[in-house]
Every structure is written in C-alpha cells, then in structure tokens.
C-alpha cells in the first residue's frame, strides 16, 4: 500500500506559560523540512487544513498554529457573508506582537519534532502574509513567504532586521493593499538581497484561496511555483524529477505496466493531451484511461527521442520527437481513426508537474494537423500546415524556413 500523509493535533507551549493547539501534517516519507503555516482571518479552517495537507504532499512537515486562541480557541470560519463580521472582529482584536511570539514558539516546537529534518520556514496568507513578513524580521525562520499580506507597509522599518529569504506575492487590485501602500513596499524592499517581490496584474485579494470569489488559477499556480522554488532553494527538499519522469515513461512505453505507472503519481492525478483532450482526472478515471486507451494502444515501434529537458522547482518540460507507425488505433492520439500503416514523426512537448516525489499532472502538446497530414487524412494543399517536415526541421535548423509563406519571396532584398 502506498504511504500517505498523516495529520494530527499538537499542543504548543506559549512564551507566557500557556498553551495553544496546532494542526500538523506530515509527508508520506515521515520526515522533511518544516513549515509554519499562518492563517487568514478565518482560523484554521478547511482551506488552511487542505493547504497544510497539500504542502505535506510537497514534502514538508507543516504546523498550522491556532493564532486566534487568545480570543476564541479552535474557531473555524468561512469567507461567506455570515462569518465575515466575526472574522473582521477577530482580526481587529488580534495582537500582532503576541502573534509573532506564538509563531516563534511554533517554530521552536516544529524544530523539536522528530519528523522535522533540515530547515524551517513560514508561509502565510492575508493576515498570515503580514505575519510571515514579520517572522522574517523577528524570528529564526530560514525562509518566509507571504501571500497578499495586509498592513506590511506599516512595518517596513523592520526590514532592516530581515533574516533568511523573503518572498511576497502582491495582488495588484487588492483593496487591503492600495497602490500607495504597494508602492511603499516595492520601494522599501525592492532590490534587497534575498527578497523576491511579485505583483499579479489584475488580481484581487485572496487570489490563491481555492473556492473563493477572487480565486484565479493561473496566478495561484504561478505563485505556488515561485513559492516552491524559494522553499526548495533554501530548505529543500530536493527530488530527482528527471529520474522520476523517466521511470514513469519506462512503465508507460517500455514495460507497459499500468499499476507501476499509477504508482509514480499522486493519489488524485490528472493527464491532459491538449490537442485531443484525452486523459483523465483522478485515480479511477486515469487508471481506466491508461489500462484501456493508452498503454496497450501505442504501436509496437513507438519511440520517444529526447531533444531537450528543462527541470524547474516543481516541474519538467521535455521537448522530444514522438515516432510511431500507425499500425493500431491510437485512442488518445487519433481517436476513431483506423490504422493507416503510415509512419509518423511529430515534435511533442510534455509539461510534467510534481508534488513532492510524485507526478501530479501532465500537459502534453503536439501539432495535430501535422499528424493528420502524415497519415493522409488531411490534404495540406493551400493550408498553413506541414507533415513530417516539422520534425525534420526541428533536427536540422538549416532546412528552409517560411516555406508555407507565399509572401516570403516578396520581402527579398527589401
């Protein structure tokens, strides 16, 4: 059975002799670098718990302290209109200085856990975004990441005490951080060593809160990748994505073992072959796809010819040639098209996202028009498409360019 993350509640001793609770999420490996996760103004609610679990899947031991415990322990609110007045009431009554001391106590408790190995950082949203900034100034956190922090502009004098690495994600249209406040932050912190500042155009507050009114998936994904890059750079963990992806491809195209292929992926992965919209979302659907429509349907002479690979903080981008003879019906590539016996070579790009040491999703791109031309079901005459020539030119850049441009000759000697 594949190991999974584990969660539990722990008790943390405060600096003044009291105690408060925190939600702990531990990665499947049972150990990893540490992260203190700082809440929004809604307490350690479902979003924060899911975030802790997601970060644990990335390989972190995550401890999310109940920072409202001095006002009302264990509160869990939503961002709906019924809970918003109470959330703002708690926010207005929150003692920031005591909150930072609680974060320092949480960091100390995190470092003392047997599961925590390596460095430790702080990551927070909204109220937690400001607390992450202040933790970078007042605690021994190795790295701090703040999402749309509220009120950072009022504490910029503390930047002289910055320790470790600081990353701030700023929403351009955030009403809680209007343009003058944003400008003060950018001017005070911009250019400082070990500080990364990112402004997300057109985004409002809480653009990374899944299910929220202002959630924006592209911006949330970009912010997450930048956060992971900073965390991995400073505290790890480090994974061999190339090895993991190569093993996945070996199981897909070499041994053609569906169970082994699925074992390289997270519990609920997804695959999207962009041109044909084939693949699957979730373990059950994707396993069905692999079993009946992918692994067994690829022609016997299928070859992957690697051309380049870029390894990032959370993903791999592979550029390759996909080569095969169309001797079987290929459900995922040419659904419903009977075998033509034609040989095909196409440039293909695979963008493979990881969560920890497992594949999370795949986005696969190719030129479907080139495939259709090569198997003889699309006449390229008069169309701006090409067949195997696209693969040939990828390997030999000296081959003529602009052969599909009738007007190319018109610009000669101009």
């Amino acid at each position: 059975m594949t190991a999974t993350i584990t969660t539990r509640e722990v008790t943390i001793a405060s600096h003044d002799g009291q105690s408060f609770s925190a939600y702990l999420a531990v990665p499947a490996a049972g150990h990893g670098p540490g992260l203190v996760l700082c809440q929004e103004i809604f307490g350690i609610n479902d979003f924060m718990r899911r975030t802790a679990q997601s970060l644990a899947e990335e390989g972190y031991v995550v401890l999310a302290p109940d920072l409202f415990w001095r006002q009302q322990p264990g509160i869990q609110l939503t961002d709906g209109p019924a809970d918003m007045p109470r959330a703002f009431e708690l926010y207005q009554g929150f003692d920031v200085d005591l909150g930072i001391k609680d974060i320092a106590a949480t960091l100390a408790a995190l470092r003392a856990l047997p599961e925590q190995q390596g460095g430790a950082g702080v990551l927070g949203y909204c109220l937690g975004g400001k607390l992450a900034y202040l933790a970078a100034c007042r605690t021994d956190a190795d790295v701090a990441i703040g999402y749309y922090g509220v009120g950072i502009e009022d504490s910029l004098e503390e930047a002289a005490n910055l320790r470790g690495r600081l990353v701030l994600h700023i929403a351009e249209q955030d009403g809680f951080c209007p343009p003058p406040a944003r400008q003060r932050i950018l001017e005070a912190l911009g250019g400082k060593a070990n500080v990364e500042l990112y402004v997300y155009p057109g985004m409002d507050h809480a653009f990374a809160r899944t299910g929220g009114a202002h959630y924006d998936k592209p911006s949330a994904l970009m912010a997450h990748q930048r956060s992971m890059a900073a965390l991995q750079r400073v505290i790890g963990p480090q994974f061999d994505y190339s090895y993991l992806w190569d093993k996945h491809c070996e199981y897909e195209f070499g041994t053609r073992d569906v169970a082994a292929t699925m074992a390289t992926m997270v519990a609920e992965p997804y695959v999207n072959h962009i041109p044909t919209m084939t693949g699957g979302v979730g373990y059950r659907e994707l396993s069905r796809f692999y079993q009946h429509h992918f692994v067994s349907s690829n022609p016997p002479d299928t070859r992957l010819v690697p051309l380049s690979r870029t390894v990032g903080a959370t993903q791999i981008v592979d550029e390759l040639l996909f080569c095969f003879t169309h001797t079987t019906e290929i459900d995922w590539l040419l659904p419903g098209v009977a075998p033509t016996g034609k040989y095909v070579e196409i440039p293909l790009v695979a963008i493979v996202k990881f969560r920890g040491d497992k594949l999370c999703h795949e986005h696969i791109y190719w030129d479907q028009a080139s495939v259709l031309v090569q198997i003889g079901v699309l006449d390229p005459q008069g169309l701006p498409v090409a067949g195997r020539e696209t693969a040939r030119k990828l390997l030999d850049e000296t081959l003529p360019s602009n052969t599909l441009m009738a007007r190319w000759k018109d610009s000669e000697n101009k």
Side-chain angles (χ1 to χ4, degrees):
M1 180 178 293
T2 303
T4 60
I5 64 169
T6 58
T7 63
R8 67 180 188 268
E9 298 287 333
V10 300
T11 300
I12 298 174
S14 67
H15 76 284
D16 52 3
Q18 303 183 70
S19 64
F20 56 96
S21 67
Y23 180 78
L24 175 68
V26 178
H31 57 81
L35 267 183
V36 173
L37 178 61
C38 298
Q39 67 188 55
E40 299 176 294
I41 62 175
F42 309 110
I44 305 302
N45 59 3
D46 180 66
F47 169 67
M48 296 307 299
R49 291 170 187 267
R50 285 187 286 108
T51 300
Q53 294 166 17
S54 178
L55 290 168
E57 284 191 307
E58 298 279 6
Y60 298 96
V61 177
V62 185
L63 198 53
D66 175 11
L67 296 176
F68 282 162
W69 68 276
R70 297 176 187 275
Q71 300 176 78
Q72 183 178 340
I75 193 164
Q76 297 186 46
L77 303 174
T78 71
D79 58 349
D83 285 344
M84 199 62 77
R86 178 57 177 154
F88 276 111
E89 182 182 23
L90 289 164
Y91 169 66
Q92 291 164 359
F94 180 71
D95 188 312
V96 170
D97 293 328
L98 288 176
I100 294 297
K101 290 181 179 179
D102 288 340
I103 290 173
T106 304
L107 266 171
L110 177 61
R111 294 184 191 275
L113 289 173
E115 296 95 339
Q116 197 274 329
Q117 297 180 7
V122 177
L123 185 150
Y125 300 82
C126 183
L127 165 63
K130 177 180 181 177
L131 296 177
Y133 163 73
L134 291 175
C137 301
R138 301 186 194 179
T139 76
D140 62 350
D142 298 305
V143 56
I145 299 173
Y147 284 73
Y148 32 83
V150 177
I152 292 175
E153 70 277 5
D154 298 326
S155 303
L156 290 173
E157 72 284 353
E158 298 203 35
N161 301 317
L162 276 173
R163 311 175 194 179
R165 191 164 199 85
L166 173 67
V167 179
L168 295 180
H169 303 293
I170 303 169
E172 184 188 45
Q173 301 299 323
D174 191 343
F176 300 107
C177 184
R182 181 175 71 245
Q183 191 59 35
R184 287 172 58 191
I185 294 170
L186 296 176
E187 290 177 356
L189 302 178
K192 281 187 173 293
N194 291 330
V195 174
E196 301 174 41
L197 305 174
Y198 300 105
V199 178
Y200 295 81
M203 292 301 102
D204 206 337
H205 188 77
F207 66 79
R209 185 197 302 144
T210 52
H214 299 147
Y215 176 66
D216 183 78
K217 187 172 183 178
S219 296
L221 288 174
M222 183 62 74
H224 177 74
Q225 184 168 335
R226 289 164 170 167
S227 295
M228 290 302 103
L231 290 172
Q232 290 179 15
R233 175 178 179 180
V234 180
I235 63 174
Q238 302 295 330
F239 300 104
D240 189 344
Y241 292 151
S242 283
Y243 171 80
L244 296 169
W245 173 232
D246 286 343
K247 290 301 292 184
H248 178 85
C249 291
E250 177 186 332
Y251 296 140
E252 282 184 314
F253 298 101
T255 62
R256 303 200 177 200
D257 186 333
V258 173
T261 298
M262 294 302 298
T264 67
M265 310 187 85
V266 297
E268 292 297 315
Y270 80 86
V271 169
N272 185 4
H273 298 110
I274 306 299
T276 53
M277 298 181 292
T278 55
V281 178
Y283 185 92
R284 177 186 290 270
E285 185 179 341
L286 185 55
S287 181
R288 169 189 167 191
F289 169 76
Y290 276 146
Q291 182 70 49
H292 301 289
H293 305 281
F294 186 84
V295 169
S296 60
S297 71
N298 288 310
D301 68 340
T302 297
R303 285 188 307 126
L304 305 179
V305 182
L307 297 176
S308 70
R309 173 169 292 177
T310 303
V311 181
T314 63
Q315 66 188 31
I316 275 180
V317 177
D318 254 6
E319 179 188 30
L320 48 89
L321 289 181
F322 187 73
C323 312
F324 64 93
T325 303
H326 189 212
T327 55
T328 63
E329 184 170 338
I330 311 174
D331 287 347
W332 65 274
L333 181 74
L334 291 163
V337 180
T340 62
K342 302 285 189 177
Y343 179 71
V344 176
E345 287 186 2
I346 51 170
L348 183 146
V349 174
I351 300 173
V352 186
K353 185 74 173 286
F354 293 82
R355 189 177 296 153
D357 62 351
K358 301 289 186 181
L359 275 72
C360 178
H361 71 240
E362 301 173 30
H363 293 166
I364 312 296
Y365 298 80
W366 68 87
D367 179 3
Q368 186 70 347
S370 179
V371 178
L372 298 177
V373 168
Q374 291 183 63
I375 65 170
V377 300
L378 176 65
D379 183 356
Q381 186 65 37
L383 298 176
V385 298
R388 193 175 169 190
E389 298 88 349
T390 62
R392 289 172 178 162
K393 185 163 176 57
L394 183 60
L395 293 177
D396 182 0
E397 68 275 9
T398 66
L399 291 175
S401 299
N402 307 317
T403 57
L404 298 177
M405 292 170 52
R407 296 171 55 192
W408 173 243
K409 62 180 184 298
D410 299 341
S411 63
E412 190 172 5
N413 299 323
K414 284 189 177 181

